[in-house]
Amino acid sequence: MYNRYIPPPKPAKTPSQPAAAASPASWSSSKPYARYIPGQTPTEPQPPAPAQPQRIVFNDDDFPAAKPSKNSPVINGEHAATSEGGKEAKSKKRRRDETDEVIQGDPAESSHEHQQAAEEQVPAAEAKPPTEDQERRPKREKKKKKKQPGSPGVGAVDDDDDAIHKRHRSVFEKVQRSLQIQASVANVDADDKEDGAAEEEAPEAGIEHGLEPLPQPEPVVTGESKATYETLPRWLALPIRVAADKTQPFTALGIAPESAKILESKGFKHAVAVQTEVLPQILSPPDRYGDVVVAAPTGSGKTLSYVLPIVNDISRDAVTRLRALIVLPTRDLVQQVQQAFETCTRAFTANGGRRVEIGIAVGNRMFKNEQSAIMDFEQKYDPQGYQRHAKKRDLIVDLDDWEAEDNPLDDLDVERERPQPLPYHVIAWKSKVDVLICTPGRLVEHINKTPGFTLDYVRWLVIDEADKLLAQDYQQWLGTVLDKLAVEKPGAREFMTTKNSGVRKIILSATMTRDLSLLNRLKLSWPRLVVVEGTKAGEQTLPALLREFAIKIREPSLKPLYLVDLLRNKHMAPVNQDYGVECSAGSETGESEMESESDSESDSGSSSSDSDSDSDAPSFSSSSRVDADEPSPTKRKPSRTTTAEAPKFATTALIFTKSNEAALRLSRLLALLAPDLAPLIGTLTSSTNTSRRARALRAFAQGRLRILVASDLVSRGIDLPNLDHVVNYDLPITETSYVHRVGRTARAGRPGCAWTLLEHAEARRFWRDFVGEGQGASTSIVRAGVVERFRLHEREEEFAEERVRQYEAALESLAREAAGGGEGKGRK
Ligand SMILES: Nc1ncnc2c1ncn2[C@@H]1O[C@H](COP(=O)(O)OP(=O)(O)OP(=O)(O)O)[C@@H](O)[C@H]1O
C-alpha cells in the first residue's frame, strides 16, 4: 500500500541556496548517488549539457545483470523488470523509485528493501535514522517540483541533498534491522540443530513486515457423536430372529397332518429353526404378506422353508400354469431342488391336493426338448384368429424368397418353427409345469424364445444363493424377469390361500448381502428379514457342529503327498452315525497328533462301518434320489468296496481346489499316488458334463465313490448326505467362499470336519481373514469353536526319499498323460 505524504507548506527559498546546488560541480560530487535535476530555465547559466540531461545514468558496472521481477513498479512507462544487472539492478531501480516516487508503508516492499540494502553494504556510520517526516519530505518536494517544472533550482538542490542523506540513513537503518533479524533467525536455527528440538522463540521486537498469520477459523471439534438415524432400512436393521435350536411340529405351522406324516416318513420329523419362522411368514393368511429375505447358515434347511409353502399353495390350484420361478446359480443345484419339490409334492398329493408339476430349465439338454418339456399346446377353434395367423404365415413365405443377407424379419424364424394350426383353429399354448426351477441364463432364453412362455401367472419368485446371483447379473436376467412380473393381468396372480394378489419374493442365502444397492434391485415390497439367532449384520455363521483344522505345509512342492497322508490319517474317519463311528478327530493315538487336542479312544477302522446304514437322515438332493429303482441314501450300503475287513477309506471327503484344471490334475495325481484309493475318487468341475456330474453325485451318495475332488462349482448349496470331511486343498479366495465350502459338511445338525492345507505364504491371510487371529485381524466368520492346528508328521524329515521318488514318477506319468499318450486319460 502506498501512502502519499502531504508535507506542511514549504518556506520561501533564498536565491543564494539554489545556485550552488545547481552548479556542475555539484554533479561531480563524490557522493555515490546523484539525483535527477529538472531542466533549467533559459535565464539561468547553463552547465555543460550531459548526454542525457533528464536523468543521471549509472554505470552498468555498478549493476550486474538482474532478472526481471514482476513486483517491480513501472518507471517512466518501462517496467523495472526489463533492466538487467542482478540484485544491484534492483537496488538501482529502488533508488530511482525512491527519488522519483513517494512509496511508503508497504511492509512487503519494505522487506524487499532490506534485502537490497543489505547487499549494498553501506557503512553503518551513516545509518542514523531520520524521522519519518524528514524521510518523506524530499519526496514530497520532488513531487512538487514535478508539478512545477519551471521553478528555480539552487535551494531545491540543497533540500534534495539533505533528503538524499536522510534517505540513505533510512535505508541503512532498514539494513541494520534486517541484519539483526537475520542474525536472530540464524541463532534460532543453530540452537534448534544443536538441541535437536525446536524451541519457540520470543517474537522479535521490531518490524513484522506484514507477515502476521492470516486469521484462521476455529478448529472443528470432532466428537464421537453417533448418528441419530438408522442407515439401514428398518426391515434390514431389525430382523426377525429365531433361536438356532428351535423346532416345531409341521402341523403347528399350517401343514396338514396327512402331509406332515408323509414328511415324517421321509425323515423330516419336525420343522427346524429357519422353517419355524419362514413357513408362517409365507403360509398364514391373511395378515402376512410381503417378501421374505432369509439369512441362515449352510445346511440349516432353507430349501424346505420355501418348497413346502409354495407346494402347499399351488396344490390348491385347479389348473396347471406357471406359478413359481425358482432361480439358482448352478445346474446341480437345480436338480437338487427339483428333488426337494418332488418329495414335498408327494406329501401334498397324499393330502388330496392336485399334483404340482415341476419342470427344470438348465443348459444341459437341447433347447427344443426343454421347450416341449415345459410348454404344451392345443388346437382351439377360432376362425378369426386363423385368418390373422394365415396372413402372418403368407408374409413369412414371401420372405423366404428374399435372399437379402440382413433380412430384418429374421426374428420370424421362431414363428416358422411353431406348430401350425388346423384350418379355422389357432394354437393355444399352455404351461406343462407349475414350478420352473432354472438357472438365470436359461430362464431368459425361454422368456425370449419359447412360444407361449409367459410369466403372467407367476406369483412366487424364489432366488436362492441370492448374493451370488445378484452379484453376477447373467444376461441382465433380473431386470428382464422383474419387467415381466410387473405386467398385471386381472386375476392372474391371485393367491389361493389369501385374498392377496401379486408376486411374492423369497430371497435366501447363507451369506446374505447387506449391500442395499444390490438388494434394491430386487424391488422388494414389505420385506421381512429372517435370521437365525446369533447372526449379526455382515456376519457369516458356521454350523455349530463343524470342527475346523489347519495343517501347515512345510514343503509346498510336495503338497499332494500331504493330502495323501491326510486321507490315510486315522483322524480322517467317519463322523456321522451312518458309519457307526463318532467324530474321531483327536481321538486316537499314533504318529499323528492333534496339537490342541487330547487323545481319546476310538477306532477309525471300526468294523461297524461295514454294516448297512440305518440312519433316518432325510435328504432330497439329486445325489440321493429316492426312486424305486435306486436304494434310498438313508438306507444305503456304505460301499461296494466295503468288505468284512476295514474299508480302505471308511469315511467321505470333498476336496476343494482352486480351478477346474487343478481339480482334474489332483484327482488323477491322487489315483497315481494312492492306487488303492483310485476307484473311490470322483471329480466335479464345471468342465465335466452335467450327466457325469449327476452320476458322480449319485455314486457318492450310494457310497461307491468316497472322495470327490472339486472346483468351487459345488461349493454352494450342494447337499451331499453324510459328507464327513471337507478339505481345502487350495485356500479359498474369500471368507464367503470358505463359509460355503466348509458348509458342505456338518449339515442339518450333524457333525463334520473341515481341513485347510496352508502353505507358508497363505497362513497369514488364513489366520487373519478367516479366523480373526493376529495383528489387524478381523473376520466376518462366526464359529462356535476354534480352528485347531493339526500336525500330520512328527519327524523333521517328513517324506522318505522313496516316496519323493514315487511322487516324481507320478508327476512324469501325469505329464505324459497330459501330452496325450497316458493310460489314465478320461477317467472320472
Ligand atoms: N425339517 C428337517 N428335518 C430334518 N432334516 C432337514 C429338515 N429340513 C432340511 N433338512 C435337511 O437338511 C439338509 C440341509 O438342508 P438344505 O439343503 O435346505 O440347507 P440350506 O440351508 O439350503 O444349505 P445351503 O445354504 O448350504 O444351501 C438337507 O439334507 C435336508 O434334507
Side-chain angles (χ1 to χ4, degrees):
M1 187 181 291
Y2 301 92
N3 297 318
R4 286 196 185 281
Y5 168 71
I6 302 169
K10 213 173 177 183
K13 291 187 174 88
T14 56
S16 59
Q17 285 171 325
S23 71
S26 71
W27 289 17
S28 58
S29 160
S30 61
K31 286 179 184 128
Y33 305 111
R35 192 176 180 288
Y36 165 66
I37 297 168
Q40 304 297 313
T41 54
T43 54
E44 288 179 11
Q46 294 298 311
Q52 294 291 330
Q54 298 300 315
R55 217 175 258 282
I56 304 296
V57 177
F58 295 90
N59 289 334
D60 278 353
D61 295 344
D62 295 338
F63 308 107
K67 280 185 185 171
S69 161
K70 63 180 177 181
N71 292 329
S72 307
V74 174
I75 301 169
N76 290 345
E78 181 187 347
H79 203 285
T82 58
S83 70
E84 293 182 350
K87 292 178 180 174
E88 284 85 355
K90 288 181 190 167
S91 300
K92 175 184 173 186
K93 173 197 76 68
R94 183 64 193 153
R95 279 176 222 116
R96 279 188 199 158
D97 291 347
E98 286 165 2
T99 52
D100 290 349
E101 288 183 55
V102 178
I103 302 171
Q104 290 188 18
D106 184 356
E109 188 72 14
S110 165
S111 164
H112 189 57
E113 284 172 11
H114 288 173
Q115 242 186 323
Q116 291 170 333
E119 286 160 10
E120 287 169 3
Q121 303 284 318
V122 180
E126 290 185 50
K128 190 177 175 187
T131 64
E132 192 172 309
D133 269 3
Q134 285 169 332
E135 193 175 324
R136 288 175 181 170
R137 194 172 301 133
K139 295 177 186 172
R140 177 64 189 149
E141 286 167 1
K142 167 79 175 69
K143 280 275 172 194
K144 215 171 172 182
K145 280 176 195 166
K146 271 189 181 174
K147 284 178 191 166
Q148 299 166 349
S151 59
V154 178
V157 169
D158 276 355
D159 283 352
D160 284 348
D161 283 349
D162 286 343
I164 288 165
H165 286 299
K166 286 170 187 170
R167 187 71 196 159
H168 288 173
R169 265 186 235 115
S170 161
V171 170
F172 298 150
E173 184 197 72
K174 289 177 184 174
V175 169
Q176 268 197 322
R177 282 191 221 128
S178 173
L179 289 172
Q180 278 173 6
I181 291 166
Q182 280 179 6
S184 66
V185 169
N187 285 341
V188 170
D189 285 350
D191 288 347
D192 283 351
K193 277 176 195 165
E194 272 177 27
D195 299 347
E199 277 181 21
E200 291 242 332
E201 274 295 303
E204 178 74 21
I207 298 168
E208 290 189 314
H209 306 294
L211 297 177
E212 297 91 349
L214 289 170
Q216 297 295 315
E218 285 290 312
V220 178
V221 181
T222 49
E224 292 188 353
S225 60
K226 284 184 181 167
T228 52
Y229 54 87
E230 182 54 71
T231 48
L232 291 174
R234 200 179 155 73
W235 67 270
L236 207 51
L238 299 171
I240 300 164
R241 297 189 172 276
V242 51
D245 56 356
K246 187 179 175 187
T247 58
Q248 247 180 314
F250 282 112
T251 45
L253 299 168
I255 302 289
E258 295 80 4
S259 303
K261 228 181 215 169
I262 305 264
L263 288 174
E264 193 174 341
S265 72
K266 302 278 182 197
F268 306 111
K269 288 178 187 150
H270 43 67
V272 292
V274 68
Q275 294 158 4
T276 62
E277 192 51 54
V278 176
L279 257 69
Q281 290 289 338
I282 302 177
L283 277 175
S284 305
D287 55 324
R288 300 281 170 88
Y289 54 89
D291 301 331
V292 181
V293 180
V294 183
T298 53
S300 59
K302 293 187 287 295
T303 312
L304 212 62
S305 73
Y306 64 82
V307 173
L308 270 177
I310 288 178
V311 174
N312 181 55
D313 175 55
I314 296 176
S315 66
R316 298 166 192 237
D317 280 306
V319 184
T320 295
R321 291 193 198 278
L322 182 56
R323 310 278 189 192
L325 278 180
I326 320 294
V327 187
L328 296 144
T330 65
R331 297 168 192 178
D332 308 275
L333 271 179
V334 165
Q335 286 169 346
Q336 181 174 297
V337 172
Q338 182 189 16
Q339 293 306 310
F341 267 99
E342 298 289 358
T343 304
C344 291
T345 296
R346 284 189 206 111
F348 286 95
T349 318
N351 188 31
R354 181 179 65 82
R355 185 185 160 80
V356 174
E357 300 297 336
I358 316 295
I360 61 169
V362 289
N364 66 331
R365 54 178 168 171
M366 293 261 299
F367 188 59
K368 263 187 191 172
N369 295 348
E370 203 170 82
Q371 283 177 317
S372 50
I374 60 176
M375 293 305 296
D376 202 358
F377 68 91
E378 60 186 16
Q379 302 280 354
K380 197 170 147 194
Y381 181 72
D382 181 358
Q384 283 180 350
Y386 180 75
Q387 290 290 334
R388 283 197 299 275
H389 171 79
K391 264 189 193 169
K392 207 170 175 182
R393 192 181 54 193
D394 289 346
L395 178 68
I396 294 167
V397 170
D398 287 348
L399 287 170
D400 277 343
D401 298 333
W402 190 2
E403 291 192 348
E405 265 190 15
D406 295 326
N407 186 336
L409 296 176
D410 271 350
D411 288 349
L412 291 175
D413 281 348
V414 177
E415 196 67 24
R416 282 194 196 95
E417 292 176 5
R418 292 179 177 213
Q420 296 306 309
L422 298 171
Y424 308 110
H425 286 71
V426 291
I427 300 290
W429 293 100
K430 59 176 191 175
S431 177
K432 277 185 176 177
V433 297
D434 298 285
V435 177
L436 185 67
I437 310 162
C438 52
T439 50
R442 197 62 155 192
L443 173 60
V444 172
E445 221 175 327
H446 281 296
I447 289 173
N448 292 335
K449 295 183 183 166
T450 300
F453 186 83
T454 176
L455 305 189
D456 285 355
Y457 297 89
V458 169
R459 56 182 185 233
W460 296 101
L461 172 67
V462 177
I463 303 176
D464 205 344
E465 306 297 343
D467 55 328
K468 185 174 173 77
L469 285 173
L470 288 177
Q472 301 169 4
D473 193 6
Y474 311 91
Q475 301 176 32
Q476 286 88 46
W477 73 274
L478 187 60
T480 309
V481 171
L482 292 182
D483 284 352
K484 294 282 175 193
L485 294 181
V487 174
E488 280 298 340
K489 194 170 174 176
R493 302 189 202 276
E494 272 176 9
F495 286 87
M496 301 308 291
T497 49
T498 70
K499 287 177 184 158
N500 299 324
S501 76
V503 182
R504 291 193 77 180
K505 296 170 195 146
I506 305 171
I507 315 297
L508 310 100
S509 180
T511 50
M512 180 58 74
T513 178
R514 258 76 174 175
D515 184 339
L516 278 178
S517 62
L518 290 180
L519 290 171
N520 283 342
R521 290 176 46 214
L522 292 165
K523 297 184 181 163
L524 300 174
S525 58
W526 303 100
R528 288 181 176 83
L529 172 64
V530 177
V531 300
V532 172
E533 196 97 78
T535 315
K536 286 190 203 143
E539 283 182 351
Q540 314 185 81
T541 308
L542 295 180
L545 294 184
L546 177 75
R547 289 186 68 183
E548 296 167 272
F549 303 96
I551 299 172
K552 190 173 172 184
I553 303 296
R554 291 198 186 85
E555 209 37 82
S557 60
L558 301 177
K559 200 171 172 185
L561 288 183
Y562 285 87
L563 178 63
V564 172
D565 286 1
L566 174 64
L567 293 175
R568 292 199 189 285
N569 191 278
K570 60 193 159 201
H571 296 300
M572 183 64 72
V575 295
N576 283 301
Q577 53 185 335
D578 286 28
Y579 294 96
V581 180
E582 293 298 313
C583 181
S584 64
S587 63
E588 292 189 10
T589 54
E591 66 175 13
S592 301
E593 190 181 322
M594 196 76 60
E595 287 175 356
S596 57
E597 277 288 307
S598 61
D599 294 350
S600 65
E601 65 162 21
S602 173
D603 184 5
S604 63
S606 164
S607 59
S608 60
S609 60
D610 295 343
S611 63
D612 286 0
S613 154
D614 208 344
S615 165
D616 282 341
S619 181
F620 35 64
S621 76
S622 61
S623 53
S624 58
R625 290 171 188 279
V626 285
D627 300 347
D629 57 338
E630 287 187 15
S632 161
T634 60
K635 302 281 179 189
R636 64 186 175 161
K637 293 185 192 297
S639 162
R640 277 190 291 182
T641 60
T642 305
T643 62
E645 300 90 45
K648 287 169 190 148
F649 191 73
T651 184
T652 48
L654 175 61
I655 302 165
F656 281 106
T657 60
K658 61 187 170 199
S659 65
N660 286 345
E661 205 216 329
L664 291 166
R665 187 181 145 89
L666 182 65
S667 163
R668 184 68 196 125
L669 197 56
L670 267 184
L672 291 169
L673 290 172
D676 56 321
L677 296 182
L680 305 177
I681 301 171
T683 315
L684 287 173
T685 68
S686 55
S687 58
T688 318
N689 81 36
T690 317
S691 55
R692 267 189 150 193
R693 272 178 1 214
R695 271 209 303 279
L697 287 169
R698 206 157 43 239
F700 188 82
Q702 293 166 356
R704 286 185 282 120
L705 292 181
R706 297 206 164 208
I707 299 168
L708 288 177
V709 186
S711 64
D712 272 317
L713 171 82
V714 289
S715 66
R716 273 183 183 259
I718 288 292
D719 186 46
L720 297 169
N722 302 327
L723 175 68
D724 294 328
H725 301 273
V726 166
V727 180
N728 285 313
Y729 179 80
D730 290 321
L731 191 64
I733 291 169
T734 61
E735 291 161 73
T736 302
S737 175
Y738 181 84
V739 169
H740 283 283
R741 278 186 182 186
V742 300
R744 295 314 98 210
T745 186
R747 296 169 72 78
R750 297 161 145 232
C753 296
W755 309 80
T756 302
L757 306 188
L758 290 173
E759 292 177 27
H760 180 70
E762 299 165 331
R764 191 154 170 260
R765 183 163 72 90
F766 174 77
W767 292 107
R768 187 191 58 203
D769 298 347
F770 296 1
V771 184
E773 277 184 16
Q775 213 177 10
S778 129
T779 183
S780 63
I781 300 175
V782 178
R783 43 176 62 84
V786 294
V787 180
E788 299 165 50
R789 288 173 169 81
F790 185 82
R791 213 165 48 194
L792 265 177
H793 306 101
E794 274 296 305
R795 288 173 292 143
E796 272 304 306
E797 190 70 36
E798 290 175 330
F799 303 105
E801 268 183 33
E802 177 56 25
R803 283 197 71 197
V804 175
R805 264 200 302 280
Q806 281 172 3
Y807 173 59
E808 282 165 359
L811 283 179
E812 277 170 24
S813 170
L814 194 66
R816 278 196 303 278
E817 287 176 14
E823 288 175 354
K825 223 182 149 196
R827 289 184 97 141
K828 292 175 197 119

